[in-house]
Amino acid sequence: MRKDPSTRTTPKVRSISHRFSYTLIGVITLLLIVFAAVVIFVDINKIENELETRLDNAIEFAQNSLATPLWNLDNVVVRDFVEALFLDESIVYTKISWKHQIITEKKRIGFQLPDMEPAMPMTFLKESEFIAKSSEIYFRVNKVATILIVMSRENVRKKALFQIYGVTALSILIIVAIWLTSIFITKKYISSPLTNLQQSASSIANGDLDTIVDKSSSDEIGRLAEHLDIMRGSIKQLIAKLKESKEKLEEYSRTLEQKVEIRTRELARSVEELKALGDVSQTVNSTLDLETVLTGIVRHAVQLSKADAGTIYEFDETEQVFIPRINFGVSDEYIQAMRDSKQRVGDKTVLGQSAKKRMPEQISDLMKVPNYPIPYIKQTDFRALLAVPLLRKDRHIGGLVVRRKAAGKFSKPIVDLLETFAAQSVIAIHNARLFHEIEDKGRELVIANRHKSEFLANMSHELRTPMNAILGYTELIIDNIYGDVPEKIKSILERVEKNGRHLLGLINDVLDFSKIEAGRFMLSLNEYSMQDVIQSVFASVEPLAAEKNLDLKVMVSRELMTGKGDEQRIAQVLLNLLGNAIKFTEDGEVIVEATISNETFWVSVSDTGPGLSEADQKKIFEEFHQADGSSTREKGGTGLGLSISKRIVEMHGGRIWVDSTLEKGSTFRFTLPVRVERQVEQK
């Protein structure tokens, strides 16, 4: 129950004048304390410095006055000097000594000399009640004595206490005066007007809107009173309006809770649906395991539709029947009954009708359908059925069916949601089918590629044998083994031999490539000389360079050592690179260089030919690739030479690459380990 405003107790209000006085006194007290501390600290340091100065003067005076008496051993003068020093009340102890012998010593009554290490030089002892200093006394350059003077800080302390007492008394006097003045001023000009204003505000707060507000003050408090009076009038008007709209607000409040509750349930369901769709989409995109994807879909479909069971069917196009693929919430007997029912497109089942109409179909109460084709469903207490077809373009992929034991129609949002799940199911089934098709095609391609490689290897071998025979007989005829050959026929035969050897080279490239593809390309590892290999290849290509008037240079390091590898295949790589350099270079030179570094042969072939573009440099070592341009088409070739060279180099554990710029020539480089103990397997 609400309390009557008139019965409320007014909280105790602390006086503003008191708070203002306390604050002002506190601030001034703090400032006075800081000021007093600074003054006392400065005065004490000043007195301390004066004391130290007097001690320094006494020491200096002794050094100047006692040197001659001490040298003359005039102890009377020395004692008189000490007596004169004690006229200063601060000096409490004086000692003049020579080594360990005391010449004279005097101290005031009650003074006890503290223990001091002899080896330590005397300094000002600022942390004790005494201050001391010692010094050597010299007559000319001769040390005649040591003087020690100790002074008391008693006077310093007395002066400090006097100042503290004086400052404290003055501060208290100032604080009391300020407190009395502030209490009088604040009470008269601030506290009393504010108290009256507070009483008026309390009356207004307790509901007395007719109370009189004192507006006699002409300062800020008076203006505040005027505004309070204006506010009192506004509150009266506002209360009238509030009473008018109170009933409307109460009515709206009664219906608002219902609306919020309904909207909250809708939002919760939407969030749950979005989360389920997100999980399904993530599963579809992250795995090709059809069982996992479909299981997640049917589980979410059953849960979000408030159903009791669900099944995803896959359509068998051969037998034209729906086969249960994934089930949730049903027994094995039920699954077997679904298989035996052999549901088809267009039959009287909910799945058959949805497939025929290509749209969702539902039965709100199965008991009202007398001749349902699958009687077993009624025996399991399922009352409501909803089926959504799985379609891709014009093809039936399957169907999604959810079942509920409570009768009633599935709402449109549930139907729309299951259509979304059906679309995800179609994507999952289609992806799985595509994946299996790709796997089958991949296996077929592997088999076909292996057969192709074996065929090329066999055919290349069969072609090379008769070609070698043709070349052999051609050479015998040219050499007049079978009799003299006319010059016209001999020139023809020489061209036949040249083209035959070119054809044999192409056949050898195809044979090598097919062996590599079939995995039957093996290296024969033996000792070899890289220098001999380069010289042998140089000798074989030198005539080709001479025909084109090219300058062919060889620069081989003298440090090349004997290596281990397949000498014939290494020569094949170098021959291929040199042959290409000579073939594509019309003017200039071709240079072969070979060095050794870190147990590795470094070989390069440079030319002044047309060069390669960046795109061709990336593809030049691929099978059957030739650089674009008219020069390539004129020169011909299979496009296998560099690919085979790359495989040979990599099987030795090395690498091959090209550096080239258009119109500025090319440099092919390859490296080989000096000692190759076993062949590197190619992937």
Side-chain angles (χ1 to χ4, degrees), residues 535-553:
Q535 292 298 333
S536 175
V537 174
F538 176 82
S540 63
V541 299
E542 189 175 17
L544 298 177
E547 287 181 5
K548 302 181 72 173
N549 293 322
L550 298 177
D551 190 5
L552 186 60
K553 299 178 181 179

Side-chain angles (χ1 to χ4, degrees), residues 31-47 159-160 163-164 166-167 170:
L31 293 175
L32 288 174
I33 291 174
V34 173
F35 174 75
V38 172
V39 170
I40 292 171
F41 177 77
V42 171
D43 287 346
I44 290 175
N45 282 341
K46 182 177 180 181
I47 296 171
K159 290 183 179 180
Q163 288 184 349
I164 291 173
V167 171
L170 180 61

Side-chain angles (χ1 to χ4, degrees), residues 110 133 170 253 297 305 331 333 445 518 601 610 633 662 682:
K133 188 173 183 180
L170 180 61
S253 298
I297 291 175
S305 63
S331 62
E333 293 81 1
L445 287 174
F601 289 128
R633 292 194 292 270
L662 284 175
Q682 297 292 294

Side-chain angles (χ1 to χ4, degrees), residues 440-491:
D440 295 339
K441 295 296 183 182
R443 286 192 291 270
E444 293 175 2
L445 287 174
V446 170
I447 295 172
N449 188 57
R450 185 171 65 250
H451 289 326
K452 179 263 297 181
S453 299
E454 292 176 354
F455 172 77
L456 287 176
N458 292 332
M459 287 302 299
S460 299
H461 180 74
E462 294 299 326
L463 289 172
R464 188 168 59 173
T465 301
M467 182 56 64
N468 281 326
I470 292 172
L471 292 175
Y473 284 119
T474 302
E475 289 180 358
L476 292 175
I477 294 173
I478 293 174
D479 292 339
N480 297 322
I481 299 299
Y482 300 106
D484 294 337
V485 179
E487 289 298 325
K488 291 184 179 181
I489 297 177
K490 182 178 290 187
S491 63

Side-chain angles (χ1 to χ4, degrees), residues 244-302:
E244 183 180 349
S245 59
K246 182 178 179 181
E247 293 181 358
K248 296 180 180 179
L249 182 61
E250 290 178 350
E251 178 66 22
Y252 180 76
S253 298
R254 284 193 296 270
T255 59
L256 181 61
E257 292 182 358
Q258 298 176 355
K259 293 179 180 179
V260 169
E261 185 178 357
I262 295 172
R263 185 57 179 165
T264 301
R265 287 197 299 268
E266 292 176 353
L267 289 175
R269 185 175 64 251
S270 299
V271 170
E272 188 178 2
E273 292 174 359
L274 289 174
K275 184 177 182 299
L277 289 173
D279 293 341
V280 170
S281 298
Q282 183 177 4
T283 305
V284 170
N285 295 325
S286 62
T287 179
L288 291 172
D289 185 357
L290 188 58
E291 299 292 329
T292 301
V293 177
L294 296 183
T295 300
I297 291 175
V298 72
R299 175 170 55 84
H300 285 301
V302 171

